[in-house]
Amino acid sequence: MTGFTNKGLVPTRRVALMLIGAGALAAGGITSARAATGDDEVLTEAKVLRDPDTPVAGNPDGNITIVEWSDYNCPYCRKLEPELRQVVQDDGKVRLVMKDWPILGPVSVTAARSALAAKFQGKYHQAHDALIGVSSRLTEPRINELLAAAGVDMDRLKRDLTGRAKDIDAILKRNNEQAEAFGFQGTPSFIVGKYRVPGALSMTEFEQVIADARKAKMN
């Protein structure tokens, strides 16, 4: 099984965009990476792109995959969300893999665990949209309020947060290990096809890197 290319840290968003535009991050010989805490490979295509426990939006049969690592308390993630979803919808052939990466404190962890717990009642996307769609910093009472308003069964959620705790924590652990192995330093961060994109892009920039990723896939 192959893994993904990670050609070092890109220090700023401006530099990242320049490199992407030049095709400097296109993955050629894809290498595997190992987690610092164990021997298991963490950057394989199966684990990054096809983790069956990770929610997917967009076209599940799309010919290009975008993987997003995000935090519900990240203002850049919130600002980007509607634009990214519009790009995915307009394109029609993009899989969007949604990896919760709560790095901004305990409330971010609570939000991520709650969204993933909602997955067990088929309400992950409703929970995600409710949590990412606010403009103010989340608190635990606000999380519960938003999820209830989005139609999440809160009694079921509480049971799943306890009963499926190991499953939820395992997902978050995998997401974190992958992000660290890629060298990401904040949210949002992305893989687009075989490009590594450490930072937010505009709609136009997303459209361009998707096009570049398709070309790279054909070569």
Side-chain angles (χ1 to χ4, degrees), residues 116-196:
L116 289 170
K119 177 173 71 79
F120 298 108
Q121 56 180 281
K123 294 290 181 66
Y124 174 85
H125 293 288
Q126 291 90 328
H128 173 87
D129 291 347
L131 296 175
I132 205 71
V134 297
S135 57
S136 58
R137 191 165 180 84
L138 293 172
T139 63
E140 292 193 24
R142 183 66 171 142
I143 290 169
N144 292 334
E145 177 185 335
L146 289 166
L147 295 182
V152 175
D153 182 332
M154 299 305 289
D155 290 333
R156 168 74 187 273
L157 187 80
K158 291 176 182 177
R159 293 196 300 271
D160 287 332
L161 279 168
T162 301
R164 309 300 291 267
K166 289 183 178 180
D167 297 327
I168 294 168
D169 292 341
I171 295 170
L172 293 177
K173 182 175 182 289
R174 291 198 297 275
N175 293 351
N176 182 66
E177 288 178 343
Q178 291 167 6
E180 289 184 346
F182 275 122
F184 294 141
Q185 296 194 335
T187 54
S189 292
F190 301 90
I191 296 297
V192 182
K194 294 177 181 178
Y195 286 82
R196 173 183 170 275

Side-chain angles (χ1 to χ4, degrees), residues 8-76:
L9 299 182
V10 180
T12 67
R13 179 171 176 270
R14 180 182 177 189
V15 173
L17 295 179
M18 289 172 60
L19 289 173
I20 291 166
L25 293 180
I30 302 177
T31 59
S32 63
R34 294 181 181 274
T37 55
D39 293 329
D40 292 337
E41 290 181 345
V42 297
L43 297 190
T44 66
E45 289 188 14
K47 291 179 180 179
V48 174
L49 302 185
R50 305 286 176 181
D51 185 337
D53 296 324
T54 301
V56 173
N59 183 344
D61 299 317
N63 56 19
I64 285 293
T65 297
I66 296 177
V67 187
E68 178 186 19
W69 283 262
S70 65
D71 184 308
Y72 290 111
N73 261 326
C74 167
Y76 301 104

